[in-house]
Amino acid sequence: MSEYVSDSRLERVLKAGHLGVTSECGPPRGSDPEGIKKKGLLIKDHVDAVNVTDNQTAMTRMSSLAACVHLKLLGIEPVLQMVTRDRNRVALQSDILGAASFDIPNMLCLSGDHQSFGDCAQGQNVHDLDSMQLVQTVRYMRDEGKFLGGDDIKRPPRMFVGAAANPFADPFEIRVPRLAKKIACGAEFIQTQCIYNMDKFKEWMRRAVDRGLTEKTFIMAGMTPMKSVGMAKYMKNKVPGMDVPDEIIDRLSGVEKKKQAEEGITICVEHIQELKEVPGVAGFHIMAIEWEEKVPEIVERSGLYPRPEV
Amino acid sequence: MRLKIPTNFRIIRVPCSGKVDIIHILRAFEKGADGVYVVGCMEGDCHFNEGNFRARKRVEQAAKVLDKIGIGGDRVKMYNLSSGEGPLFAQYSTEMVNLVKKMGPSPVRLARQRMAKKADAA
Amino acid sequence: MIIAEKKPIEEIIQEVEAYDRILVLGCNECVTVCEAGGKKEVEVLASVLRMNFMAQDREKTIDEQTLERQCDHEYLEEIRDVIDQYDAVISLACGVGVQFAAEKYMTTPVLPGVNTVCLGANEDRGLWTERCQACGACVLARTGGICPVSRCAKRVLNGPCGGATNGKCEISKDTDCAWQLIIDRLKALGKMEDYEKVAPVKDWSTDRAGGPRTVTREDVKI
């Protein structure tokens, strides 16, 4: 993995062997771009790239692509998240070209939460492609310079292509095989679901390393600091595919309410420190949900700052 | 009218060629026939209006599937004649027998023979 | 009824290549009527498979059976006693039957012998056409009894679109424009005033989009 496939800073950092750091910003529920710009600027110097979510939890928001452009114009490197729920292969390819026209250098391919979780529960879903097929599609467009239909693309997109992985969903036995499939489809980096169950994550990682998967892709561990014990309980009980061990909840309950947020950050930092030593972990994806201002602190306290020059 | 016709085929009488279904044709091949031909009335002269058209469709269906499994769709044919045309029946029979001879034995018959030999040897 | 179409024989041969004892399982319902998976089709497929493998000197057992329905426990139970005699079942039922058989017999591969196409009608001898997509919230009362969901290629609920020409759809001159049919029928019914009623944004949560659907009837449960 020596030559570069894109102009992505994230790609260069990971390929140079540094631990990569990404974070995440959700676009606003309106047309005012100031919020996302502010969020971006808050974390700009502490991360290599910023994921911009695509109508996450199926709540209608400003388009990920437009929000990416706002960040890009501020010199912040975006990771365009794209879900297959809302667009067919025509729109997906078209948006990939649109993003490439702004030289957005990273993309994360997802299927997206079901629309019944969002504000348009009565809507149709598309799923013309699934997340793996979307990975294949971008790779095909980039590497072969062709549309899915076979025609040549003038100035093909140059993008570093990623996918998500959930080490915790059921059944556990297929979590690594599924990761293998995503890599076989062409995923060059992986951002995982938020990790709280360290033992299970390490077991997953060990299996991935054993299969040689970490030779083929960069796995970035997903980290989300808990703001409160309430949030931890909600994540445990209400968010599908999330594994929050009781010890996290106990630890947060053990401190007084106004110190819980601080304790959440500390847990997050400790987890990052611990995972830095786990073979195969190539970086961290820090998703501080509506808490972006805490990302610099987490990055600094985890010893991931300053970001390397590449 | 004494006509010379080949003796190496068996006539199966049906009330109308429309009675012949694809499965009848296939079963004949499965049992080891090298060829099958269906002889119906002249098109337009069917007592039951379209019996012979149906027969032709089924012959075509059989030919298509026999081609696909390498047995040879040419081994099945449809002929039309009217009831008084004995000489034509003899001519079609000879034609069919010659065609099948030229194609050689059906792969299914050969396989059945090999199977029988193996069973004998055992 | 459910309309299905026979799978190409090459595909079926490939599917069953690895198995030595095969049951070809037909269904007496919809697939019989649309001549894709009834007793006759079972006989033909089994015969063709037998000949195919025989000619390659491969000894296989290929048996035939046709059930009253494959979408009912009661009838699928009829093969319980014999299922262990087979390495695989080719089901000529629709996708419902194939799955129901597969669910019942966990360790026997159940392979589809037909492609399930749509919910449709016997329009003519050898012609079956789609009429319904089971969207779960019927709009036919408002569209002159013609369904824009299943019969308009764009599923337009306030049509016709600009692509319609001479009553035909823009995707093919052989496809009727559903909205032309709707207009014709509204006229025949003397209800053209209905045309100008704007169809509201549709609730698709009752459709496939909302996830797998179930109907529960407490009043008929025992």
Side-chain angles (χ1 to χ4, degrees):
Chain A
M1 291 197 266
S2 60
E3 58 195 74
Y4 298 126
V5 295
S6 68
D7 296 320
S8 159
R9 172 187 160 79
L10 178 63
E11 182 191 2
R12 290 198 306 278
V13 167
L14 292 170
K15 287 187 176 171
H18 303 295
L19 286 169
V21 178
T22 51
S23 186
E24 185 170 292
C25 286
R29 301 207 71 203
S31 62
D32 183 354
E34 292 314 313
I36 184 125
K37 287 176 165 175
K38 221 174 98 189
K39 288 180 186 175
L41 289 170
L42 271 176
I43 56 177
K44 179 174 189 277
D45 298 328
H46 287 77
V47 298
D48 301 310
V50 177
N51 283 42
V52 181
T53 51
D54 181 4
N55 297 295
Q56 74 270 27
T57 66
M59 291 297 269
T60 314
R61 289 169 179 272
M62 177 191 287
S63 82
S64 174
L65 175 51
C68 280
V69 171
H70 286 296
L71 295 186
K72 174 83 181 159
L73 293 175
L74 292 172
I76 302 164
E77 178 167 310
V79 178
L80 173 72
Q81 291 197 183
M82 206 181 262
V83 302
T84 59
R85 177 192 59 227
D86 308 322
R87 279 161 292 187
N88 71 358
R89 64 190 83 181
V90 177
L92 291 167
Q93 291 181 94
S94 166
D95 282 353
I96 289 166
L97 291 184
S101 76
F102 286 98
D103 295 323
I104 290 166
N106 309 294
M107 200 179 131
L108 187 77
C109 305
L110 308 162
S111 53
D113 297 315
H114 192 266
Q115 69 277 6
S116 57
F117 295 108
D119 62 346
C120 289
Q122 299 186 344
Q124 270 287 355
N125 55 11
V126 181
H127 298 297
D128 179 16
L129 306 181
D130 66 21
S131 58
M132 295 199 203
Q133 294 161 345
L134 181 58
V135 170
Q136 289 178 315
T137 301
V138 203
R139 287 292 305 263
Y140 183 70
M141 291 171 76
R142 185 190 83 195
D143 299 342
E144 306 298 323
K146 286 182 191 298
F147 290 103
L148 282 182
D151 291 342
D152 289 336
I153 299 174
K154 287 178 190 156
R155 192 179 187 266
R158 292 189 74 230
M159 283 179 176
F160 190 43
V161 183
N166 185 349
F168 309 108
D170 291 324
F172 185 66
E173 60 182 324
I174 62 95
R175 297 332 302 177
V176 170
R178 188 154 196 272
L179 171 70
K181 267 176 103 167
K182 288 200 172 181
I183 294 166
C185 287
E188 295 163 309
F189 70 96
I190 298 288
Q191 291 172 324
T192 77
Q193 175 68 284
C194 319
I195 301 158
Y196 300 104
N197 185 335
M198 302 292 277
D199 291 340
K200 204 165 184 185
F201 175 73
K202 285 177 189 170
E203 172 58 18
W204 178 79
M205 212 50 221
R206 190 186 60 72
R207 294 188 191 187
V209 172
D210 284 351
R211 274 191 68 159
L213 298 178
T214 48
E215 310 286 313
K216 297 175 191 154
T217 198
F218 297 101
I219 298 180
M220 304 184 71
M223 312 306 300
T224 294
M226 295 289 192
K227 270 183 178 170
S228 63
V229 70
M231 172 179 173
K233 283 183 180 159
Y234 179 83
M235 298 267 264
K236 181 186 176 75
N237 301 323
K238 293 282 158 64
V239 182
M242 195 73 75
D243 185 341
V244 184
D246 288 333
E247 62 197 66
I248 303 276
I249 293 169
D250 294 345
R251 193 169 152 185
L252 289 167
S253 325
V255 298
E256 59 180 299
K257 200 157 184 162
K258 59 179 189 222
K259 294 232 169 115
Q260 282 176 358
E262 186 51 37
E263 188 66 10
I265 300 280
T266 302
I267 294 172
C268 183
V269 170
E270 285 171 15
H271 283 178
I272 293 175
Q273 301 280 19
E274 189 177 339
L275 292 179
K276 276 163 94 175
E277 308 305 323
V278 172
V281 171
F284 295 91
H285 178 51
I286 302 165
M287 298 162 272
I289 302 161
E290 294 301 320
W291 211 17
E292 288 82 0
E293 67 273 19
K294 289 290 176 188
V295 171
E297 182 190 333
I298 295 169
V299 173
E300 286 176 21
R301 285 177 58 192
S302 306
L304 294 165
Y305 187 81
R307 299 306 306 143
E309 293 294 329
V310 286
Chain B
M1 188 159 53
R2 289 186 153 279
L3 293 165
K4 277 189 90 167
I5 59 166
T7 53
N8 53 351
F9 67 91
R10 188 191 300 175
I11 294 174
I12 296 166
R13 289 163 35 151
V14 286
C16 167
S17 63
K19 173 70 195 171
V20 179
D21 197 20
I22 175 172
I23 190 63
H24 303 124
I25 301 171
L26 294 178
R27 286 220 178 104
F29 282 101
E30 213 183 321
K31 287 185 172 168
D34 293 317
V36 172
Y37 62 116
V38 179
V39 184
C41 300
M42 295 303 287
E43 288 184 356
D45 285 348
C46 178
H47 253 327
F48 307 101
N49 298 335
E50 60 258 329
N52 46 12
F53 289 108
R54 291 177 195 268
R56 181 172 292 280
K57 287 276 189 178
R58 289 155 190 172
V59 164
E60 286 165 6
Q61 289 169 8
K64 213 166 136 188
V65 70
L66 288 169
D67 259 337
K68 285 195 172 164
I69 57 172
I71 288 169
D74 287 340
R75 293 180 186 277
V76 53
K77 289 264 178 285
M78 173 83 198
Y79 291 104
N80 297 87
L81 46 72
S82 57
S83 57
E85 295 179 302
L88 199 55
F89 178 73
Q91 185 197 318
Y92 286 157
S93 303
T94 310
E95 194 180 302
M96 188 67 197
V97 167
N98 287 341
L99 178 91
V100 169
K101 273 189 176 156
K102 220 169 94 193
M103 291 180 76
S106 138
V108 174
R109 183 155 72 87
L110 291 176
R112 292 188 84 92
Q113 283 171 356
R114 286 193 295 272
M115 256 158 67
K117 237 184 228 163
K118 230 168 89 185
D120 282 350
Chain C
M1 65 172 182
I2 294 172
I3 310 298
E5 206 172 15
K6 291 193 242 184
K7 271 189 182 288
I9 185 70
E10 307 89 305
E11 189 183 330
I12 296 179
I13 289 171
Q14 216 184 353
E15 275 180 3
V16 301
E17 199 80 42
Y19 304 109
D20 290 330
R21 300 171 306 164
I22 300 160
L23 176 64
V24 181
L25 191 63
C27 179
N28 254 340
E29 293 283 353
C30 315
V31 287
T32 296
V33 183
C34 65
E35 301 185 37
K39 187 165 180 284
K40 269 173 86 166
E41 291 74 32
V42 166
E43 288 176 340
V44 169
L45 176 60
S47 173
V48 169
L49 288 176
R50 278 193 296 264
M51 282 195 273
N52 175 71
F53 292 116
M54 205 192 290
Q56 300 170 8
D57 291 322
R58 293 166 69 186
E59 279 183 46
K60 289 189 192 249
T61 305
I62 296 166
D63 291 343
E64 307 165 14
Q65 193 166 343
T66 299
L67 303 178
E68 198 51 40
R69 274 198 288 284
Q70 289 189 32
C71 52
D72 244 320
H73 285 299
E74 176 182 355
Y75 301 109
L76 267 180
E77 281 298 328
E78 290 172 11
I79 57 167
R80 182 164 300 279
D81 294 340
V82 295
I83 192 80
D84 289 337
Q85 298 167 23
Y86 300 103
D87 304 322
V89 173
I90 307 171
S91 164
L92 297 195
C94 67
V96 179
V98 177
Q99 288 180 70
F100 219 44
E103 287 166 33
K104 203 176 255 309
Y105 302 111
M106 275 299 274
T107 56
T108 307
V110 182
L111 310 162
V114 303
N115 291 320
T116 307
V117 178
C118 62
L119 301 181
N122 278 316
E123 183 148 343
D124 199 350
R125 181 95 193 102
L127 179 65
W128 294 274
T129 51
E130 181 164 20
R131 286 293 185 278
C132 178
Q133 278 187 0
C135 73
C138 195
V139 299
L140 287 171
R142 300 194 294 275
T143 57
I146 313 278
C147 173
V149 175
S150 58
R151 303 185 66 184
C152 166
K154 295 178 184 173
R155 246 203 242 129
V156 171
L157 296 177
N158 292 289
C161 73
T165 314
N166 294 326
K168 298 292 175 185
C169 176
E170 70 177 28
I171 63 160
S172 158
K173 59 176 172 31
D174 298 324
T175 304
D176 287 327
C177 168
W179 275 94
Q180 183 67 55
L181 301 177
I182 292 170
I183 292 159
D184 292 347
R185 187 107 203 292
L186 286 176
K187 270 188 197 155
L189 294 171
K191 295 182 90 171
M192 262 312 273
E193 70 276 9
D194 278 2
Y195 176 76
E196 295 206 22
K197 293 178 185 157
V198 176
V201 171
K202 188 167 164 65
D203 176 356
W204 290 106
S205 62
T206 56
D207 175 76
R208 164 216 64 82
R213 292 162 283 174
T214 49
V215 174
T216 310
R217 284 273 308 274
E218 294 300 338
D219 58 330
V220 295
K221 271 191 180 178
I222 299 166

